Amino acid sequence: MAALLVLIFLVAYTAIVLEHPLKVNKTASALLGAGMLWTVYALMTGDHHLVAENLTESLSATAQIVFFLMGAMTIVEVVDVHDGFDVITSRIRTRRLDALMWLVGFVTFFLSAMLDNLTTTIVMLSLMKKLLDRQDDRLFFAGIIVIAANAGGAWSPIGDVTTTMLWIGGQITTVAIMKGVFLPSLANLVVPLCVTAWILKGKEVVAPTACERRKGTRTTPFERNLMFCLGLGALVAVPVFKAVTHLPPFMGILFGLGIIWLVGEVVHRNKEDDAKQHLTLVHALTHIDMSSIIFFIGILLSVATLEHSHVLAALAGWLDAAVGRQSIIVMIIGLASAIVDNVPLVAASMGMYDLPKFPADSFLWEFMAYCAGTGGSILIIGSAAGVAAMGIERVHFFWYVKRISGLALIGYFAGAAIYIVQYALLHS
């Protein structure tokens, strides 16, 4: 049974990786793989009661992540449709290209920690279209934005889907991950920034000759500021909510979503239906990326079968015997996330190593959060942020390899070295 399950998973995983050449959406491959894996597991196990218990357990864990992502994505969409991110982006002004690079890098880094790396990448790339006229400049900035967004998401429990998975699963806690991974993540950004700032030194910002203005003012300054503060507050308050109530994070995000929904209804209550329809939370729900959410469901349920059939435990034992050092194993997983999606990699790791043996906030889980979160920056296809940049700015794969991958790689190893040294000093 184990061999058949592994074979099915590898075929589904290969279809996910080769999504573009095959022209088959990765969500379809993930759902098909999940269905086949659970069918084989149920038929070959024979114990229907055990299979039902395992599926219920896996569905509960998966649902918590999905509800959290749906709530967070909806809140971000509401803020965006109210032009709330203009509160930050409108304050970025400089004439030196190297200074702009530092500013954009740090704004992206901290904004990603509060929102998520995908949303932050989209917001910052949209800003670059307003600030930079030359395509070459925008491409270079797009690469740095991808690195900064992934680095910022790695040290926050709500900044990257893989870190969120570890947080909801109990492998990491809020304060510990922020303290443990902040400096490595910062190094992951600063090292590439130092190199690029030296390359861009002395160059001037060439702004578009005729910046496109927004087609009509859709919201007032009060509405923009209100929704920005409410949205950001709801996201940042989730770890506090979890710490105080000990309820799962998805309850905190849904609570915040309810508050924003109510405030939006009150603020826009006197507007005509046509004027307020696109500002409502109901409209925002229709614009969240449901395909990605369903993909998470499929891949997490697929990995769950390998966990319940003890395939992942056997793989962990083999890695420990073949490689030995935990740090090298985790760094390999991080490098692999540049080629394949980091969501199934982290999901598999969560099944490979159990909490009794590797408790919350141990070296394994914190280093996993860093490596899986930042390793995807090495290739443009290695993260959601990179794929977004690929679509928005038409960043070519081989251009990214030539200009950005080396920067991302030295940043990755610099951050990894800092984490290992930091952990050794604090736990000696």
Side-chain angles (χ1 to χ4, degrees):
M1 178 181 70
L4 182 58
L5 290 176
V6 171
L7 178 62
I8 294 171
F9 182 81
L10 289 176
V11 171
Y13 200 98
T14 302
I16 291 170
V17 174
L18 300 177
E19 174 186 20
H20 296 294
L22 292 176
K23 292 182 171 56
V24 176
N25 191 289
K26 65 180 180 181
T27 303
S29 302
L31 289 177
L32 185 60
M36 292 178 66
L37 284 164
W38 276 99
T39 300
V40 170
Y41 181 57
L43 292 176
M44 299 190 73
T45 300
D47 188 340
H48 303 304
H49 180 69
L50 174 64
V51 172
E53 281 189 349
N54 289 341
L55 182 56
T56 301
E57 177 188 338
S58 301
L59 185 61
S60 175
T62 300
Q64 291 192 42
I65 296 172
V66 169
F67 285 149
F68 180 90
L69 291 175
M70 286 180 65
M73 291 167 73
T74 306
I75 288 173
V76 169
E77 182 65 30
V78 170
V79 174
D80 188 41
V81 81
H82 283 83
D83 303 326
F85 296 116
D86 283 359
V87 174
I88 293 176
T89 58
S90 62
R91 288 167 169 77
I92 298 180
R93 293 187 182 91
T94 181
R95 299 303 306 166
R96 289 170 46 214
L97 212 54
D98 57 338
L100 181 63
M101 180 70 79
W102 281 100
L103 192 56
V104 167
F106 276 98
V107 168
T108 304
F109 180 79
F110 287 104
L111 193 60
S112 178
M114 292 184 285
L115 301 177
D116 65 78
N117 49 11
L118 175 59
T119 302
T120 302
T121 299
I122 294 170
V123 170
M124 297 307 293
L125 289 176
S126 300
L127 172 65
M128 291 304 100
K129 288 181 179 292
K130 301 175 186 177
L131 296 179
L132 300 171
D133 184 53
R134 289 194 299 241
Q135 175 72 2
D136 287 346
D137 290 343
R138 292 204 306 271
L139 287 175
F140 211 73
F141 271 72
I144 295 300
I145 286 170
V146 170
I147 293 174
N150 288 333
W155 64 275
S156 165
I158 59 175
D160 181 90
V161 65
T162 53
T163 314
T164 300
M165 287 165 56
L166 292 169
W167 180 50
I168 292 175
Q171 281 81 9
I172 59 175
T173 59
T174 304
V175 176
I177 192 65
M178 294 175 74
K179 287 169 57 180
V181 182
F182 176 76
L183 285 180
S185 296
L186 188 62
N188 184 274
L189 169 66
V190 170
V191 171
L193 278 181
C194 288
V195 177
T196 53
W198 179 77
I199 294 172
L200 298 175
K201 190 174 182 180
K203 294 184 178 181
E204 293 290 320
V205 172
V206 179
T209 53
C211 294
E212 292 185 6
R213 296 181 181 274
R214 288 188 181 274
K215 297 179 181 179
T217 303
R218 299 185 297 179
T219 54
T220 65
F222 168 75
E223 291 168 351
R224 286 197 290 272
N225 293 329
L226 176 64
M227 285 302 173
F228 175 76
C229 292
L230 279 176
L232 203 60
L235 292 167
V236 173
V238 171
V240 179
F241 177 87
K242 182 179 184 293
V244 172
T245 65
H246 300 287
L247 290 171
F250 79 88
M251 277 306 305
I253 207 75
L254 294 180
F255 185 21
L257 187 62
I259 294 172
I260 293 171
W261 198 326
L262 176 61
V263 171
E265 294 287 328
V266 172
V267 168
H268 301 304
R269 67 187 183 282
N270 295 325
K271 294 182 179 179
E272 296 292 335
D273 288 343
D274 290 343
K276 71 177 181 180
Q277 191 274 333
H278 66 282
L279 299 173
T280 63
L281 201 137
V282 174
H283 183 264
L285 283 167
T286 65
H287 280 70
I288 62 175
D289 189 359
M290 284 301 299
S291 176
S292 293
I293 289 175
I294 297 173
F295 166 72
F296 294 141
I297 295 173
I299 200 67
L300 291 173
L301 288 178
S302 296
V303 171
T305 58
L306 302 184
E307 180 182 357
H308 293 306
S309 58
H310 307 295
V311 170
L312 295 181
L315 178 59
W318 179 82
L319 281 172
D320 287 338
V323 179
R325 291 179 63 87
Q326 261 186 33
S327 57
I328 297 176
I329 292 172
V330 176
M331 287 179 72
I332 291 171
I333 292 172
L335 291 172
S337 71
I339 304 170
V340 296
D341 198 290
N342 58 4
V343 171
L345 282 176
V346 172
S349 302
M350 292 167 69
M352 286 164 58
Y353 303 100
D354 54 21
L355 279 171
K357 186 176 180 181
F358 301 95
D361 302 322
S362 61
F363 174 89
L364 173 72
W365 301 122
E366 286 190 353
F367 199 38
M368 180 75 68
Y370 168 78
C371 290
T374 62
S377 302
I378 297 169
L379 293 177
I380 190 70
I381 61 171
S383 66
V387 173
M390 203 174 186
I392 295 171
E393 280 294 350
R394 307 296 181 208
V395 181
H396 295 294
F397 178 86
F398 289 108
W399 180 93
Y400 190 93
V401 170
K402 184 178 179 181
R403 299 291 186 88
I404 305 296
S405 292
L407 296 173
L409 194 62
I410 59 174
Y412 175 79
F413 284 119
I418 285 178
Y419 180 80
I420 292 170
V421 172
Q422 173 188 275
Y423 188 88
L425 292 174
L426 295 178
H427 296 82
S428 56

